[in-house]
Amino acid sequence: MIFRVATRQDLPAVLALLADEDRVLDPASTTVGEEHERAFAAIGADPRNELLVLTDAPRDATAGEVVLGCLQLTYIPGLGQGGQERALVEAVRIRADRRGTGLGAELMRLAAERARGRGCGLIQLTSNKRRTAAHRFYERLGFARSHEGFKLPLERP
């Protein structure tokens, strides 16, 4: 397995993972829109954001890596926790056909290691209330349900 910062070449595969967590979608059939390009560029240009992927190693020189999982880490400075940064984890996905193999736990372990190496004192995430299997997964990893989250959609100007 290879854990690394995503490149532009990974964008269709990441979008395929985010589009449907229950099926494996062919990245070649994924439409990468202008808004995706802008968001990807903004993440890459921001030192407090990282889009990370977990890939399998190519089997031979002609085969490329296959993106098996992804997540976004955002580093948030704050006055709480003794002024330590915290890491916010978003958009965690593992390919549907590879779930239950330990890849998700490895992806989260590597993300926590990366955040710890940056000096973060806490890693946090939110998860949709309907994703009960994901909640059990996060609890198995030691995450605690400590807060209630709220969202407010904003209209675009």
Side-chain angles (χ1 to χ4, degrees):
M1 296 295 121
I2 299 167
F3 180 65
R4 61 174 172 74
V5 173
T7 65
R8 169 56 186 84
Q9 194 172 12
D10 299 318
L11 187 54
V14 169
L15 292 175
L17 287 173
L18 296 175
D20 191 335
E21 63 182 295
D22 295 323
R23 296 182 303 143
V24 176
L25 300 180
D26 180 3
S29 68
T30 304
T31 302
V32 178
E34 207 174 294
E35 64 282 358
H36 300 119
E37 297 283 4
R38 272 195 310 275
F40 183 80
I43 292 167
D46 184 345
R48 294 199 176 279
N49 273 287
E50 297 181 304
L51 182 60
L52 303 166
V53 293
L54 186 65
T55 70
D56 67 350
R59 295 183 193 343
D60 60 55
T62 61
E65 294 176 19
V66 174
V67 175
L68 302 174
C70 66
L71 59 77
Q72 182 176 344
L73 271 179
T74 301
Y75 302 104
I76 305 168
L79 297 175
Q81 301 284 319
Q84 287 184 321
E85 281 190 334
R86 66 184 59 215
L88 175 65
V89 180
E90 293 278 327
V92 179
R93 294 292 189 281
I94 294 293
R95 264 178 56 139
D97 63 342
R98 298 299 294 270
R99 285 201 203 106
T101 63
L103 288 178
E106 180 66 2
L107 179 64
M108 293 299 290
R109 184 189 70 74
L110 291 166
E113 186 178 290
R114 193 169 184 97
R116 191 177 300 109
R118 185 177 166 114
C120 291
L122 177 75
I123 189 167
Q124 65 187 33
L125 58 85
T126 60
S127 182
N128 189 301
K129 288 186 177 191
R130 293 180 300 227
R131 298 184 72 218
T132 56
H135 303 165
R136 288 190 301 273
F137 167 73
Y138 295 130
E139 287 172 337
R140 277 196 309 272
L141 296 180
F143 285 82
R145 295 180 191 229
S146 62
H147 293 70
E148 188 74 24
F150 297 89
K151 292 185 179 184
L152 176 65
L154 301 174
E155 290 182 32
R156 292 185 181 188

